[in-house]
């Protein structure tokens, strides 16, 4: 009986170790602005690498901000590693500015592109990967499609916009707060032509605040349709029909520009890649429900795209 118990616990230990070794995680510091998590398959064989670029705002490497925790990209990285694909996701430089004495008004959209390119270069020089694919989420889609030009082997847009950001914002305001869209449109025009917007409706301060205007102006320079058309690598577009942040029509615009791209529209999926069968309240609550699983179609679509290229 004692021998049987010993054998049982030995087998249990082996099973537990095997489960723990489905992937490896390592913290990687690319430079003083970029630090993130590298998740690799538990294997000595070379693998493809997917570099995730986060959405707008202070979104960290796991896909969370200061007010919510959904762990979207942490979960997605683990799932992909189990299926033989390495991933790297990093904190945006916004997390470093206080320690480096940089003011928020000094950050531009070009810095995000620079950070993405630096990350690609780092792993090209310091890793044995069969290919490097960029996957940008939300705002990160535009960052990624610019950074991927002449540097990456594939590009994935996840819930990305297909129009210039000022047009996207004006359209959203027109639907949500009719009347304010005229003030927003005038402010964007002034920002483009003069470099500063003044006299806008106070209700638009979260968009045109003094410290935010330099970044917004730098973001407006890039047209997703134009940048996507420059890519000469395989492209995949992923979007959910329950996305309340980026409308499905934006994915359609990207598809128009890249007709040969793989086009994956996932039913009942929201902006953070989770299943939503209820109303907007359920959708909003999901942003702080880390227990929700990634939609399986996202995982299989990315695996098939990466492995087939």
């Amino acid at each position: 009986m004692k021998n049987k118990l010993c054998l049982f616990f030995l087998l249990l230990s082996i099973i537990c170790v095997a489960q723990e070794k489905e992937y490896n995680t390592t913290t990687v510091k690319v430079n003083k602005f970029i630090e993130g998590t590298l998740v690799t398959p538990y294997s000595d064989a070379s693998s493809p690498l997917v570099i995730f670029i986060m959405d707008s705002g202070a979104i960290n490497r796991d896909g969370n901000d200061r007010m919510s925790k959904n762990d979207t990209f942490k979960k997605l990285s683990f799932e992909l590693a189990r299926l033989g694909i390495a991933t790297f996701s990093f904190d945006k430089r916004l997390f470093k500015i206080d320690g480096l004495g940089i003011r928020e008004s000094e950050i531009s959209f070009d810095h995000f592109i620079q950070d993405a390119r630096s990350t690609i270069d780092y792993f090209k020089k310091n890793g044995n990967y069969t290919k490097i694919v960029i996957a940008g989420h939300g705002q990160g889609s535009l960052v990624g499609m610019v950074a991927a030009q002449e540097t990456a082997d594939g590009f994935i847009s996840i819930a990305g916009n297909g129009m210039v950001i000022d047009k996207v914002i004006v359209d959203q305001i027109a639907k949500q707060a009719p009347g304010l869209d005229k003030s927003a449109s005038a402010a964007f025009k002034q920002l483009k032509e003069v470099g500063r917007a003044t006299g806008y409706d106070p209700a638009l301060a979260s968009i045109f605040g003094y410290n935010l205007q330099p970044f917004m102006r730098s973001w407006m320079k890039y047209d997703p349709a134009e940048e996507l058309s420059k890519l000469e690598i395989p492209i995949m577009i992923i979007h959910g029909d329950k996305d309340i942040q980026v409308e499905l029509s934006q994915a359609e615009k990207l598809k128009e520009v890249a007709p040969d791209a793989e086009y994956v529209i996932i039913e009942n999926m929201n902006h953070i890649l989770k299943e939503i069968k209820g109303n907007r309240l359920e959708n909003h609550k999901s942003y702080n429900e880390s227990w929700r699983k990634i939609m399986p179609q996202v995982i299989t679509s990315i695996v098939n795209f990466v492995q087939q290229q």
Side-chain angles (χ1 to χ4, degrees), residues 249-261:
S249 60
Q250 297 297 322
E252 294 168 353
K253 292 181 184 300
L254 292 177
K255 177 61 173 173
E256 290 173 6
V257 176
D260 294 331

Side-chain angles (χ1 to χ4, degrees), residues 52-291:
F52 289 121
I53 303 175
M54 297 299 127
D55 201 354
S56 59
I59 306 295
N60 69 13
R61 68 188 76 179
D62 295 333
N64 305 323
D65 62 22
R66 295 182 178 91
M67 302 298 291
S68 63
K69 182 180 180 181
N70 51 73
D71 284 342
T72 289
F73 287 93
K74 182 178 181 180
K75 289 174 176 288
L76 183 53
S77 292
F78 293 162
E79 293 297 331
L80 293 177
R82 291 186 180 104
L83 296 170
I85 296 174
T87 64
F88 180 70
S89 56
F90 57 96
D91 297 334
K92 299 170 77 170
R93 98 166 33 200
L94 292 172
F95 289 87
K96 297 288 187 179
I97 59 177
D98 289 342
L100 295 172
I102 300 171
R103 291 176 294 184
E104 185 180 35
S105 60
E106 296 174 327
I107 298 294
S108 77
F109 194 83
D110 296 288
H111 287 133
F112 291 168
I113 296 171
Q114 177 185 327
D115 290 345
R117 284 177 173 158
S118 296
T119 301
I120 297 169
D121 291 343
Y122 175 88
F123 284 105
K124 278 189 171 182
K125 295 174 183 176
N126 298 281
N128 183 26
Y129 300 102
T130 57
K131 67 188 73 172
I132 294 180
V133 175
I134 304 302
H137 179 236
Q139 182 194 76
S141 170
L142 179 54
V143 174
M145 65 179 70
V146 178
Q149 295 167 20
E150 301 180 2
T151 62
D153 301 301
F155 171 70
I156 303 171
S157 172
I158 306 174
N161 279 306
M163 297 193 307
V164 182
I165 191 60
D166 54 316
K167 292 182 179 179
V168 172
I169 293 174
V170 170
D171 284 356
Q172 288 176 344
I173 292 173
K175 294 173 183 176
Q176 299 170 11
L180 278 180
D181 54 309
K182 292 182 179 179
S183 177
S185 183
F188 276 123
K189 185 174 185 295
Q190 190 178 29
L191 190 56
K192 282 181 183 177
E193 297 176 353
V194 183
R196 280 292 178 187
T198 57
Y200 52 85
D201 191 296
L204 300 173
S206 62
I207 300 171
F208 298 106
Y210 182 81
N211 288 335
L212 300 175
Q213 288 190 27
F215 181 84
M216 187 62 71
R217 190 184 185 203
S218 67
W219 189 357
M220 290 162 55
K221 294 188 304 182
Y222 294 96
D223 183 342
E226 181 180 330
E227 300 303 332
L228 191 65
S229 68
K230 296 177 183 177
L231 290 178
E232 298 179 352
I233 53 178
I235 298 168
M236 181 165 69
I237 300 164
I238 301 177
H239 213 102
D241 67 0
K242 287 290 182 72
D243 192 325
I244 56 175
Q245 285 187 243
V246 180
E247 295 182 356
L248 184 57
S249 60
Q250 297 297 322
E252 294 168 353
K253 292 181 184 300
L254 292 177
K255 177 61 173 173
E256 290 173 6
V257 176
D260 294 331
E262 290 192 36
Y263 189 56
V264 182
I265 304 303
I266 301 176
E267 185 178 2
N268 293 326
M269 186 178 82
N270 71 356
H271 189 69
I272 57 168
L273 318 184
K274 306 298 175 62
E275 183 177 33
I276 301 297
K277 291 187 175 179
N279 55 20
R280 289 179 71 90
L281 178 60
E282 180 192 352
N283 208 325
H284 283 294
K285 286 175 62 179
S286 71
Y287 282 65
N288 203 28
E289 294 175 335
S290 59
W291 53 266

